[in-house]
mmCIF file of all heavy atoms in Angstrom:
data_model
loop_
_atom_site.group_PDB
_atom_site.id
_atom_site.type_symbol
_atom_site.label_atom_id
_atom_site.label_comp_id
_atom_site.label_asym_id
_atom_site.label_seq_id
_atom_site.Cartn_x
_atom_site.Cartn_y
_atom_site.Cartn_z
ATOM 1 N N ASP H 860 47.359 -163.087 -44.685
ATOM 2 C CA ASP H 860 46.017 -163.368 -44.182
ATOM 3 C C ASP H 860 45.077 -163.091 -45.351
ATOM 4 O O ASP H 860 44.592 -161.972 -45.506
ATOM 5 C CB ASP H 860 45.707 -162.477 -42.972
ATOM 6 C CG ASP H 860 44.323 -162.713 -42.415
ATOM 7 O OD1 ASP H 860 43.659 -163.696 -42.806
ATOM 8 O OD2 ASP H 860 43.884 -161.886 -41.587
ATOM 9 N N ALA H 862 41.735 -163.987 -47.514
ATOM 10 C CA ALA H 862 40.414 -164.613 -47.445
ATOM 11 C C ALA H 862 40.309 -165.677 -48.528
ATOM 12 O O ALA H 862 40.846 -165.528 -49.636
ATOM 13 C CB ALA H 862 39.319 -163.560 -47.625
ATOM 14 N N VAL H 893 64.229 -150.832 -36.373
ATOM 15 C CA VAL H 893 63.581 -151.553 -35.279
ATOM 16 C C VAL H 893 64.488 -152.679 -34.778
ATOM 17 O O VAL H 893 64.931 -153.524 -35.555
ATOM 18 C CB VAL H 893 62.224 -152.133 -35.736
ATOM 19 C CG1 VAL H 893 61.646 -153.081 -34.699
ATOM 20 C CG2 VAL H 893 61.247 -151.010 -36.034
ATOM 21 N N ALA H 899 57.966 -157.589 -38.704
ATOM 22 C CA ALA H 899 56.951 -158.403 -39.371
ATOM 23 C C ALA H 899 56.102 -157.545 -40.291
ATOM 24 O O ALA H 899 55.711 -156.436 -39.932
ATOM 25 C CB ALA H 899 56.067 -159.090 -38.335
ATOM 26 N N ARG H 903 47.171 -158.549 -45.947
ATOM 27 C CA ARG H 903 45.803 -159.053 -45.831
ATOM 28 C C ARG H 903 45.041 -158.734 -47.116
ATOM 29 O O ARG H 903 45.229 -157.668 -47.696
ATOM 30 C CB ARG H 903 45.087 -158.387 -44.659
ATOM 31 C CG ARG H 903 45.621 -158.761 -43.304
ATOM 32 C CD ARG H 903 44.730 -158.176 -42.184
ATOM 33 N NE ARG H 903 45.131 -158.683 -40.906
ATOM 34 C CZ ARG H 903 46.094 -158.154 -40.149
ATOM 35 N NH1 ARG H 903 46.725 -157.076 -40.567
ATOM 36 N NH2 ARG H 903 46.412 -158.687 -38.993
ATOM 37 N N ARG H 930 50.124 -136.165 -46.683
ATOM 38 C CA ARG H 930 51.240 -135.645 -47.493
ATOM 39 C C ARG H 930 52.083 -136.754 -48.098
ATOM 40 O O ARG H 930 52.719 -136.554 -49.117
ATOM 41 C CB ARG H 930 52.150 -134.741 -46.651
ATOM 42 C CG ARG H 930 51.527 -133.437 -46.264
ATOM 43 C CD ARG H 930 52.489 -132.471 -45.627
ATOM 44 N NE ARG H 930 53.447 -133.091 -44.722
ATOM 45 C CZ ARG H 930 54.601 -132.531 -44.373
ATOM 46 N NH1 ARG H 930 54.930 -131.349 -44.831
ATOM 47 N NH2 ARG H 930 55.411 -133.136 -43.534
ATOM 48 N N GLY H 946 57.003 -143.159 -55.079
ATOM 49 C CA GLY H 946 56.376 -144.477 -54.996
ATOM 50 C C GLY H 946 54.919 -144.453 -54.577
ATOM 51 O O GLY H 946 54.064 -145.052 -55.232
ATOM 52 N N ALA H 948 52.877 -141.830 -54.486
ATOM 53 C CA ALA H 948 52.086 -141.003 -55.411
ATOM 54 C C ALA H 948 51.709 -141.820 -56.648
ATOM 55 O O ALA H 948 50.558 -141.789 -57.102
ATOM 56 C CB ALA H 948 52.862 -139.752 -55.804
ATOM 57 N N ARG H 951 49.140 -144.507 -55.634
ATOM 58 C CA ARG H 951 47.787 -143.959 -55.493
ATOM 59 C C ARG H 951 47.162 -143.716 -56.863
ATOM 60 O O ARG H 951 45.990 -144.037 -57.077
ATOM 61 C CB ARG H 951 47.791 -142.671 -54.678
ATOM 62 C CG ARG H 951 46.384 -142.096 -54.517
ATOM 63 C CD ARG H 951 46.345 -140.896 -53.609
ATOM 64 N NE ARG H 951 45.934 -141.331 -52.272
ATOM 65 C CZ ARG H 951 45.768 -140.507 -51.254
ATOM 66 N NH1 ARG H 951 45.992 -139.216 -51.387
ATOM 67 N NH2 ARG H 951 45.381 -140.969 -50.088
ATOM 68 N N ILE H 953 47.751 -145.281 -59.648
ATOM 69 C CA ILE H 953 47.417 -146.586 -60.237
ATOM 70 C C ILE H 953 46.117 -147.107 -59.635
ATOM 71 O O ILE H 953 45.208 -147.526 -60.369
ATOM 72 C CB ILE H 953 48.565 -147.596 -60.020
ATOM 73 C CG1 ILE H 953 49.763 -147.235 -60.902
ATOM 74 C CG2 ILE H 953 48.093 -149.030 -60.308
ATOM 75 C CD1 ILE H 953 51.025 -148.027 -60.601
ATOM 76 N N GLY H 959 39.765 -147.513 -57.493
ATOM 77 C CA GLY H 959 39.919 -147.796 -56.073
ATOM 78 C C GLY H 959 40.397 -146.602 -55.276
ATOM 79 O O GLY H 959 40.409 -145.463 -55.757
ATOM 80 N N PRO H 965 47.764 -145.077 -38.887
ATOM 81 C CA PRO H 965 48.690 -145.564 -37.865
ATOM 82 C C PRO H 965 48.088 -146.795 -37.191
ATOM 83 O O PRO H 965 46.870 -146.897 -37.051
ATOM 84 C CB PRO H 965 48.815 -144.401 -36.886
ATOM 85 C CG PRO H 965 47.706 -143.463 -37.207
ATOM 86 C CD PRO H 965 47.157 -143.807 -38.545
ATOM 87 N N GLY H 970 53.977 -149.090 -35.747
ATOM 88 C CA GLY H 970 53.853 -149.247 -37.184
ATOM 89 C C GLY H 970 52.651 -148.572 -37.808
ATOM 90 O O GLY H 970 51.955 -147.767 -37.180
ATOM 91 N N ALA H 982 30.712 -153.921 -59.780
ATOM 92 C CA ALA H 982 30.465 -152.732 -58.942
ATOM 93 C C ALA H 982 30.656 -151.477 -59.763
ATOM 94 O O ALA H 982 31.506 -151.405 -60.618
ATOM 95 C CB ALA H 982 31.435 -152.730 -57.758
ATOM 96 N N PRO H 983 29.850 -150.438 -59.482
ATOM 97 C CA PRO H 983 30.066 -149.162 -60.169
ATOM 98 C C PRO H 983 31.396 -148.560 -59.749
ATOM 99 O O PRO H 983 31.792 -148.655 -58.588
ATOM 100 C CB PRO H 983 28.893 -148.290 -59.703
ATOM 101 C CG PRO H 983 28.319 -148.983 -58.519
ATOM 102 C CD PRO H 983 28.757 -150.418 -58.559
#
Side-chain angles (χ1 to χ4, degrees):
D860 179 11
V893 170
R903 292 187 172 86
R930 290 189 321 159
R951 180 175 262 182
I953 289 171

